[in-house]
Amino acid sequence: MRTPFIAGNWKMHKTVSEAITLAEALRTSLADVTGVDLAVGPTATALYAVNRVLSGSNIAVAAQNMHWEEQGAFTGEISPLMVLELAQYVILGHSERRQYFGETDETVNRKLKSALSHSLSPIVCIGENLEQNRAGETVSFVTKQIHGAFAGISAAEARKVTLAYEPIWAIGTGLTATPEDANRIIRTAIRDVLAELYDEQTAETIRVQYGGSVKPHNMAAFIVMPEIDGALVGGASLKADSFTAIVKNALAAL
Ligand code: PEP
């Protein structure tokens, strides 16, 4: 039985003081929630402050990115050791990082290996763009991303990974995959592929979130799908009331 997992990706939003305000509000509004793992992903500048606000609460902290090296001449980057002091989770390979910052399956794989070796809990994002979707290439593309991300990673390590299936055309657009389509892609392009790469038990252990315009009104329809274990939420995680409603609506539907 996989524990549901709902995470907010704050992207490049919130100054430190705004992030503290949001984290404080969530700490209160979600205090009574059990049976679901929760995390929020502030920008790197706000990780320290948000970590302090959420320390001892039921909400974990996620970094939005990291370099694979522990230290070095990599201006502007943050390392796994730096993340480890401030966050339990790290989001890797978000489509915005792939699209705007040149991340590839290979760099995601290096980051994933590094995160796992530093005992961070990675959330690896995968998903097709609109062109690939329209051309019927979703399954082959996502399969390739899974092979790329997990290259050289053992089954025991793979089980610690969370995947976020995020069709790129659904991110920030208000469009969503249908819950049935998302469920089917997660089964055929993710779990079946993981079962081939590893084994059934590993494929059934790994949590897979859906991401792409998740809102309070549509969360329930996704979470009831057997292959969907939660959500990675962008825009709707920026306000305490909408993220709280997403979490509560998910729990009510389970
Ligand atoms: C995301 O940032 O991963 C995301 C899914 O964004 P949104 O919920 O705004 O589509």
Side-chain angles (χ1 to χ4, degrees), residues 124-182:
V124 176
C125 304
I126 52 195
E128 81 288 0
N129 66 26
L130 188 58
E131 222 176 33
Q132 291 158 337
N133 183 279
R134 286 198 175 139
E137 293 167 359
T138 299
V139 171
S140 60
F141 183 73
V142 174
T143 298
K144 190 171 135 285
Q145 287 185 312
I146 294 286
H147 279 274
F150 285 93
I153 289 171
S154 71
E157 292 286 82
R159 288 177 200 182
K160 298 172 187 162
V161 176
T162 296
L163 291 166
Y165 169 59
E166 304 203 295
I168 296 171
W169 49 270
I171 297 178
T173 59
L175 302 171
T176 64
T178 65
E180 293 74 16
D181 277 350

Side-chain angles (χ1 to χ4, degrees), residues 9 11 94 166 170-172 211-214 232-235:
N9 171 18
K11 309 195 188 198
H94 191 281
E166 304 203 295
I171 297 178
S213 297
V214 170
L232 182 57
V233 185

Side-chain angles (χ1 to χ4, degrees), residues 190-212:
I190 300 179
R191 281 198 215 284
D192 288 351
V193 174
L194 289 169
E196 257 174 51
L197 270 177
Y198 299 107
D199 52 74
E200 278 298 329
Q201 206 200 328
T202 302
E204 295 305 320
T205 302
I206 292 175
R207 293 191 289 192
V208 186
Q209 301 171 318
Y210 167 78

Side-chain angles (χ1 to χ4, degrees), residues 5 38 44 61 80 91 93 108 111 136 141 144 149 156 159 173 177 186 206 219 223 237-238 242 251:
F5 179 23
L38 300 171
V61 178
I91 300 169
V108 172
K111 291 178 180 201
F141 183 73
K144 190 171 135 285
R159 288 177 200 182
T173 59
I186 292 170
I206 292 175
M219 181 71 252
I223 199 83
S237 72
L238 295 173
S242 54
L251 279 173

